[in-house]
Amino acid sequence: MAETDTTQADTLIRALQRHGHDVDHVTTGHDTLRTLEQADLLLIDLELPDLDGLEVCRRVRAAGPTPVIAVTARGTELDRVLGLQAGADDYLVKPYGLPELLARMDAVMRRAQPTTPTPPVIIHGPLRIDTAARHVTLHGHRIDVTRKEFDLLHLLASHPDTVIPRKRIMQQVWGDIWSRRTIDTHVSSLRNKLGTSDWILTVRGVGFQLGHP
């Protein structure tokens, strides 16, 4: 997040953290560009002290596909047009409500995620996940899982060698209705049903990964 007003930034950081997001805060355009590789999504105030926010948006877009939401007091139609033309994926005028910001973040992240075909059946050792029937079996025995437990396990199994960040799990499985404890509760339940915590590995500070028991 690039925001020069530290009071506003602190308030927003706390709110986003309550909703499961990890937030890094910078106050200049140059720092924004230096930390860009670490960001899944950039919230940028266009009033930055060293570089104009529109120029930062252009450089971010030239550097790659990182989603950008301009969050600014510049509210005219021309400002919006210039922001979107500079590379912002969305444009939000201050003051705004947190629910609207979260909804826009979810929408932008969904559009940014590449779509890849999902195999009808995912087999991972003795674990078998039938996508169409939404059945999970382990060593040939049916495992009863809830709808969200299936979605969570299916997401992890679809990317078996990848650590899936918490916020991506929350966005893809729960959309914009969740709390930080929701994912931990479902992971714990799945581990119990699968008989070992080794099936879902916690990567501290990042997210979760399918294991190899």
Side-chain angles (χ1 to χ4, degrees):
M1 176 173 62
E3 170 62 67
T4 57
D5 188 321
T6 55
T7 300
Q8 287 187 18
D10 289 343
T11 300
L12 181 55
I13 288 170
R14 289 194 296 271
L16 292 174
Q17 287 175 337
R18 286 197 301 270
H19 286 79
H21 295 281
D22 296 321
V23 186
D24 290 324
H25 175 219
V26 296
T27 58
T28 69
H30 285 110
D31 284 343
T32 301
L33 297 172
R34 276 193 291 268
T35 59
L36 182 60
E37 290 185 1
Q38 305 165 16
D40 297 317
L41 170 70
L42 173 61
L43 302 177
I44 181 172
D45 184 357
L46 298 183
E47 301 292 343
L48 298 174
D50 55 343
L51 292 173
D52 183 79
L54 295 178
E55 177 60 23
V56 177
C57 287
R58 293 187 191 99
R59 296 190 190 185
V60 170
R61 186 54 59 236
T66 303
V68 179
I69 300 179
V71 182
T72 176
R74 301 181 186 179
T76 69
E77 182 180 10
L78 178 59
D79 288 325
R80 295 172 189 267
V81 171
L82 291 175
L84 295 172
Q85 288 179 340
D89 297 278
D90 203 347
Y91 196 102
L92 189 59
V93 178
K94 300 177 181 179
Y96 56 85
L98 180 63
E100 181 180 5
L101 174 62
L102 292 171
R104 288 175 181 268
M105 289 172 61
D106 288 341
V108 167
M109 289 299 293
R110 283 196 300 271
R111 292 197 297 269
Q113 290 164 1
T115 56
T116 55
T118 302
V121 177
I122 299 174
I123 298 176
H124 192 75
L127 181 67
R128 185 178 189 274
I129 301 172
D130 188 320
T131 302
R134 296 180 67 84
H135 288 168
V136 177
T137 57
L138 182 62
H139 297 289
H141 299 287
R142 174 80 174 271
I143 305 295
D144 291 325
V145 295
T146 67
R147 182 167 61 90
K148 293 301 184 184
E149 288 172 350
F150 180 90
D151 292 341
L152 170 57
L153 184 60
H154 183 270
L155 174 60
L156 296 176
S158 297
H159 309 277
D161 299 316
T162 303
V163 179
I164 308 297
R166 277 178 169 270
K167 56 186 172 184
R168 178 179 173 187
I169 294 173
M170 291 174 176
Q171 288 162 352
Q172 291 194 217
V173 177
W174 282 275
D176 58 357
I177 304 175
W178 41 261
S179 68
R180 188 172 180 84
R181 291 184 59 84
T182 298
I183 185 171
D184 296 315
T185 301
H186 282 73
V187 166
S188 177
S189 177
L190 272 174
R191 285 169 170 167
N192 288 334
K193 291 180 178 182
L194 294 173
T196 174
S197 60
D198 293 339
W199 274 113
I200 302 179
L201 305 178
T202 301
V203 180
R204 191 172 300 279
V206 183
F208 298 90
Q209 181 178 13
L210 194 70
H212 300 268

